[in-house]
């Protein structure tokens, strides 16, 4: 892969800002209530209860993982990344009933979901399509 040069369209800038913002919101929510964040992992995954340090590492890893698609789109114009972002955003939307049922659908959760969905939509605008068509994978 080679770095994509040239001016980025507004849709790509918007995607990057929105997707990073949703990652920061989720990170901030996790950091403000580490015990609840750790409890979520225990209730949804077959893992032992993470301590405070492990919860911080998990929240930081999620933030880093959110930055990877931004780099793939903004720096490299990797076409696969837009489909990956769309699939993840739709999977998060599909998880809304579970989040409502188990009480994890806080205001930050909804804000993060809305930003992720809007960021995914930005990747399918005509300007973004032109950005991806000129890029290399």
């Amino acid at each position: 892969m080679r770095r994509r040069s040239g001016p980025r369209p507004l849709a790509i800038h918007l995607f990057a800002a929105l997707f990073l913002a949703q990652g920061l919101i989720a990170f901030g929510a996790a950091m403000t209530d580490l015990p609840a964040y750790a409890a979520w992992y225990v209730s949804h995954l077959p893992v032992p209860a993470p301590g405070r340090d492990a919860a911080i590492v998990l929240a930081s890893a999620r933030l880093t993982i959110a930055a990877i698609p931004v780099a793939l789109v903004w720096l490299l114009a990797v076409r696969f990344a837009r489909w990956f972002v769309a699939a993840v955003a739709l999977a998060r939307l599909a998880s809304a009933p579970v989040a409502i049922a188990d009480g994890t659908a806080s205001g930050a959760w909804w804000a993060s979901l809305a930003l992720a969905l809007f960021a995914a939509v930005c990747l399918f605008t005509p300007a973004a399509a032109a950005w991806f068509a000129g890029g290399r994978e």
Side-chain angles (χ1 to χ4, degrees):
M1 286 185 246
R2 293 178 29 188
R3 184 171 177 170
R4 178 81 156 92
S5 61
R8 284 136 183 91
L10 178 61
I12 298 301
H13 288 296
L14 243 153
F15 159 75
L18 293 172
F19 207 72
L20 286 176
Q22 69 86 28
L24 287 169
I25 288 170
F27 177 75
M31 295 302 289
T32 57
D33 193 0
L34 287 171
Y37 186 68
W40 180 90
Y41 272 96
V42 172
S43 68
H44 288 81
L45 299 172
V47 295
R52 178 179 164 78
D53 292 344
I56 292 170
V57 169
L58 289 169
S60 299
R62 284 186 64 193
L63 178 59
T64 302
I65 290 167
I68 292 170
V70 173
L72 290 174
V73 169
W74 203 80
L75 294 174
L76 303 172
V78 174
R79 287 181 282 258
F80 168 77
R82 76 175 169 168
W83 293 103
F84 177 76
V85 167
V88 169
L90 289 174
R92 286 182 64 192
L93 180 61
S95 76
V98 174
I100 292 168
D102 69 12
T104 57
S106 65
W109 188 90
W110 286 110
S112 178
L113 173 63
L115 290 175
L117 290 169
F118 190 56
V121 168
C122 289
L123 293 179
F124 292 92
T125 62
W131 168 256
F132 286 111
R136 298 175 189 245
E137 288 196 19

